[in-house]
Amino acid sequence: EASEWNEVCEKKYFEVKASSNVLARGTVEPATLKVKAGGEASFTAAAKENAVFKGWKKGSAEVSVTGSVLKLTDVQEASEWTAVFEKKEFEVKASSNDLALGSVEPAELKVKAGGEVTFTATAKENAIFKGWKKGSAEVSVTGSVLKLTNVQEASEWTAVFEKKAEEKNYTLKYSSTDLALGSVEPATLTVTAGGEVTFTDTAKAHA
């Protein structure tokens, strides 16, 4: 009985530590525990809004525990564990409202929280680009290049193209009532609606 008592009293204590790989992405509680040989230790990882928890790794090894709660049983050594957090990744999509009028490149991008994405809209010859709209909202960006910075959410954008208005052309003719008295240059002009034309009258010397 005395030997058993001494064995219990002489049990070793081990220091078990846990920490976050990036404090801006997540935290760990507690940071350190002293555990008697054969005992247990528990640590909890909590990701911040811009991150996701990927798992626990011991020392420099790969991730071996994926649950946010790390529970160690029958502890027989000191150890250090790291909670691995990664930035959230968002999918940003962009498309044309009418492929017959214009195209968008690329169609989708995956970006980590805080990152940037760029999409380019190109109108076809029969169309004009009006702007970008997010979801079902109104057009909010008018430049053909859509650049999003500090991305913190998934989103879908639409490049709005419209068909060009058909141009109306008119032919105007102008002539002299008597060519013996004077001439007109030019005799005929074709002009687009809203445009201008100029004719010149030239009288002959004896007129």
PDB file of all heavy atoms in Angstrom, residues 10 16 33 50 62 79 83 96 110 137 165 173 179 183 191 196:
ATOM      1  N   GLU A  10       4.410  10.400  -6.927  1.00  0.00           N
ATOM      2  CA  GLU A  10       5.567  10.696  -7.760  1.00  0.00           C
ATOM      3  C   GLU A  10       5.236  10.793  -9.251  1.00  0.00           C
ATOM      4  O   GLU A  10       6.123  10.906 -10.081  1.00  0.00           O
ATOM      5  CB  GLU A  10       6.636   9.617  -7.552  1.00  0.00           C
ATOM      6  CG  GLU A  10       7.261   9.667  -6.168  1.00  0.00           C
ATOM      7  CD  GLU A  10       8.188   8.501  -5.909  1.00  0.00           C
ATOM      8  OE1 GLU A  10       8.346   7.684  -6.854  1.00  0.00           O
ATOM      9  OE2 GLU A  10       8.720   8.399  -4.807  1.00  0.00           O
ATOM     10  N   VAL A  16       1.351  20.846 -21.610  1.00  0.00           N
ATOM     11  CA  VAL A  16       0.777  20.734 -22.947  1.00  0.00           C
ATOM     12  C   VAL A  16       0.342  22.137 -23.382  1.00  0.00           C
ATOM     13  O   VAL A  16      -0.410  22.807 -22.672  1.00  0.00           O
ATOM     14  CB  VAL A  16      -0.428  19.773 -22.970  1.00  0.00           C
ATOM     15  CG1 VAL A  16      -0.948  19.609 -24.401  1.00  0.00           C
ATOM     16  CG2 VAL A  16      -0.036  18.410 -22.398  1.00  0.00           C
ATOM     17  N   LEU A  33      -1.668  23.890 -20.349  1.00  0.00           N
ATOM     18  CA  LEU A  33      -2.196  23.064 -19.260  1.00  0.00           C
ATOM     19  C   LEU A  33      -1.087  22.182 -18.711  1.00  0.00           C
ATOM     20  O   LEU A  33      -0.263  21.661 -19.479  1.00  0.00           O
ATOM     21  CB  LEU A  33      -3.351  22.177 -19.758  1.00  0.00           C
ATOM     22  CG  LEU A  33      -4.689  22.856 -20.057  1.00  0.00           C
ATOM     23  CD1 LEU A  33      -5.650  21.849 -20.680  1.00  0.00           C
ATOM     24  CD2 LEU A  33      -5.305  23.457 -18.791  1.00  0.00           C
ATOM     25  N   ASN A  50     -13.658  35.981 -40.664  1.00  0.00           N
ATOM     26  CA  ASN A  50     -13.009  35.952 -41.978  1.00  0.00           C
ATOM     27  C   ASN A  50     -12.231  34.670 -42.232  1.00  0.00           C
ATOM     28  O   ASN A  50     -11.488  34.576 -43.199  1.00  0.00           O
ATOM     29  CB  ASN A  50     -12.057  37.144 -42.120  1.00  0.00           C
ATOM     30  CG  ASN A  50     -10.872  37.055 -41.159  1.00  0.00           C
ATOM     31  OD1 ASN A  50     -10.960  36.402 -40.108  1.00  0.00           O
ATOM     32  ND2 ASN A  50      -9.775  37.691 -41.497  1.00  0.00           N
ATOM     33  N   GLU A  62       1.728  17.211 -39.935  1.00  0.00           N
ATOM     34  CA  GLU A  62       0.532  17.627 -40.664  1.00  0.00           C
ATOM     35  C   GLU A  62      -0.676  17.619 -39.732  1.00  0.00           C
ATOM     36  O   GLU A  62      -0.626  17.058 -38.631  1.00  0.00           O
ATOM     37  CB  GLU A  62       0.289  16.679 -41.853  1.00  0.00           C
ATOM     38  CG  GLU A  62       1.387  16.698 -42.904  1.00  0.00           C
ATOM     39  CD  GLU A  62       1.539  18.053 -43.555  1.00  0.00           C
ATOM     40  OE1 GLU A  62       0.504  18.644 -43.947  1.00  0.00           O
ATOM     41  OE2 GLU A  62       2.675  18.548 -43.658  1.00  0.00           O
ATOM     42  N   SER A  79       3.796  18.337 -24.956  1.00  0.00           N
ATOM     43  CA  SER A  79       3.589  18.498 -26.397  1.00  0.00           C
ATOM     44  C   SER A  79       3.079  19.899 -26.706  1.00  0.00           C
ATOM     45  O   SER A  79       2.596  20.605 -25.823  1.00  0.00           O
ATOM     46  CB  SER A  79       2.600  17.456 -26.927  1.00  0.00           C
ATOM     47  OG  SER A  79       1.346  17.556 -26.254  1.00  0.00           O
ATOM     48  N   ALA A  83      -3.480  25.187 -33.703  1.00  0.00           N
ATOM     49  CA  ALA A  83      -4.771  25.233 -34.395  1.00  0.00           C
ATOM     50  C   ALA A  83      -4.549  25.963 -35.720  1.00  0.00           C
ATOM     51  O   ALA A  83      -4.059  27.089 -35.736  1.00  0.00           O
ATOM     52  CB  ALA A  83      -5.803  25.972 -33.557  1.00  0.00           C
ATOM     53  N   SER A  96     -22.722  37.829 -68.736  1.00  0.00           N
ATOM     54  CA  SER A  96     -23.323  38.820 -69.634  1.00  0.00           C
ATOM     55  C   SER A  96     -24.840  38.687 -69.579  1.00  0.00           C
ATOM     56  O   SER A  96     -25.366  37.583 -69.445  1.00  0.00           O
ATOM     57  CB  SER A  96     -22.839  38.571 -71.059  1.00  0.00           C
ATOM     58  OG  SER A  96     -23.613  39.292 -71.993  1.00  0.00           O
ATOM     59  N   LYS A 110     -12.276  32.303 -57.557  1.00  0.00           N
ATOM     60  CA  LYS A 110     -12.294  32.007 -56.122  1.00  0.00           C
ATOM     61  C   LYS A 110     -11.242  32.887 -55.470  1.00  0.00           C
ATOM     62  O   LYS A 110     -10.097  32.944 -55.920  1.00  0.00           O
ATOM     63  CB  LYS A 110     -12.009  30.526 -55.867  1.00  0.00           C
ATOM     64  CG  LYS A 110     -13.165  29.626 -56.248  1.00  0.00           C
ATOM     65  CD  LYS A 110     -12.920  28.191 -55.854  1.00  0.00           C
ATOM     66  CE  LYS A 110     -14.133  27.320 -56.190  1.00  0.00           C
ATOM     67  NZ  LYS A 110     -13.924  25.907 -55.817  1.00  0.00           N
ATOM     68  N   ALA A 137     -29.762  44.215 -58.206  1.00  0.00           N
ATOM     69  CA  ALA A 137     -29.710  45.665 -57.984  1.00  0.00           C
ATOM     70  C   ALA A 137     -29.548  46.409 -59.304  1.00  0.00           C
ATOM     71  O   ALA A 137     -29.405  45.815 -60.366  1.00  0.00           O
ATOM     72  CB  ALA A 137     -28.559  45.998 -57.039  1.00  0.00           C
ATOM     73  N   ALA A 165     -28.760  51.642 -81.177  1.00  0.00           N
ATOM     74  CA  ALA A 165     -29.917  52.125 -81.928  1.00  0.00           C
ATOM     75  C   ALA A 165     -29.546  52.169 -83.407  1.00  0.00           C
ATOM     76  O   ALA A 165     -28.423  52.522 -83.769  1.00  0.00           O
ATOM     77  CB  ALA A 165     -30.293  53.522 -81.447  1.00  0.00           C
ATOM     78  N   LYS A 173     -30.652  66.284-101.690  1.00  0.00           N
ATOM     79  CA  LYS A 173     -30.234  66.747-103.008  1.00  0.00           C
ATOM     80  C   LYS A 173     -30.481  68.251-103.123  1.00  0.00           C
ATOM     81  O   LYS A 173     -31.469  68.767-102.623  1.00  0.00           O
ATOM     82  CB  LYS A 173     -31.000  66.013-104.114  1.00  0.00           C
ATOM     83  CG  LYS A 173     -30.702  64.528-104.185  1.00  0.00           C
ATOM     84  CD  LYS A 173     -31.470  63.865-105.315  1.00  0.00           C
ATOM     85  CE  LYS A 173     -31.162  62.379-105.405  1.00  0.00           C
ATOM     86  NZ  LYS A 173     -31.871  61.708-106.514  1.00  0.00           N
ATOM     87  N   LEU A 179     -28.820  76.130-114.552  1.00  0.00           N
ATOM     88  CA  LEU A 179     -27.376  75.892-114.572  1.00  0.00           C
ATOM     89  C   LEU A 179     -26.612  76.949-115.346  1.00  0.00           C
ATOM     90  O   LEU A 179     -25.402  77.125-115.176  1.00  0.00           O
ATOM     91  CB  LEU A 179     -27.093  74.505-115.167  1.00  0.00           C
ATOM     92  CG  LEU A 179     -27.501  73.321-114.278  1.00  0.00           C
ATOM     93  CD1 LEU A 179     -27.312  72.009-115.020  1.00  0.00           C
ATOM     94  CD2 LEU A 179     -26.701  73.324-112.989  1.00  0.00           C
ATOM     95  N   SER A 183     -24.109  77.119-110.212  1.00  0.00           N
ATOM     96  CA  SER A 183     -24.053  75.684-109.888  1.00  0.00           C
ATOM     97  C   SER A 183     -24.056  75.462-108.380  1.00  0.00           C
ATOM     98  O   SER A 183     -23.846  76.402-107.598  1.00  0.00           O
ATOM     99  CB  SER A 183     -22.783  75.067-110.491  1.00  0.00           C
ATOM    100  OG  SER A 183     -21.631  75.693-109.941  1.00  0.00           O
ATOM    101  N   VAL A 191     -26.652  61.961 -94.995  1.00  0.00           N
ATOM    102  CA  VAL A 191     -26.366  62.393 -93.631  1.00  0.00           C
ATOM    103  C   VAL A 191     -27.134  61.532 -92.637  1.00  0.00           C
ATOM    104  O   VAL A 191     -28.267  61.118 -92.886  1.00  0.00           O
ATOM    105  CB  VAL A 191     -26.724  63.893 -93.454  1.00  0.00           C
ATOM    106  CG1 VAL A 191     -28.207  64.119 -93.718  1.00  0.00           C
ATOM    107  CG2 VAL A 191     -26.352  64.382 -92.051  1.00  0.00           C
ATOM    108  N   GLU A 196     -25.143  67.211 -89.921  1.00  0.00           N
ATOM    109  CA  GLU A 196     -25.139  68.478 -90.653  1.00  0.00           C
ATOM    110  C   GLU A 196     -24.689  68.260 -92.091  1.00  0.00           C
ATOM    111  O   GLU A 196     -23.933  67.327 -92.382  1.00  0.00           O
ATOM    112  CB  GLU A 196     -24.188  69.480 -89.982  1.00  0.00           C
ATOM    113  CG  GLU A 196     -24.599  69.899 -88.584  1.00  0.00           C
ATOM    114  CD  GLU A 196     -23.640  70.918 -87.996  1.00  0.00           C
ATOM    115  OE1 GLU A 196     -22.624  71.247 -88.664  1.00  0.00           O
ATOM    116  OE2 GLU A 196     -23.899  71.407 -86.878  1.00  0.00           O
TER     117      GLU A 196
END
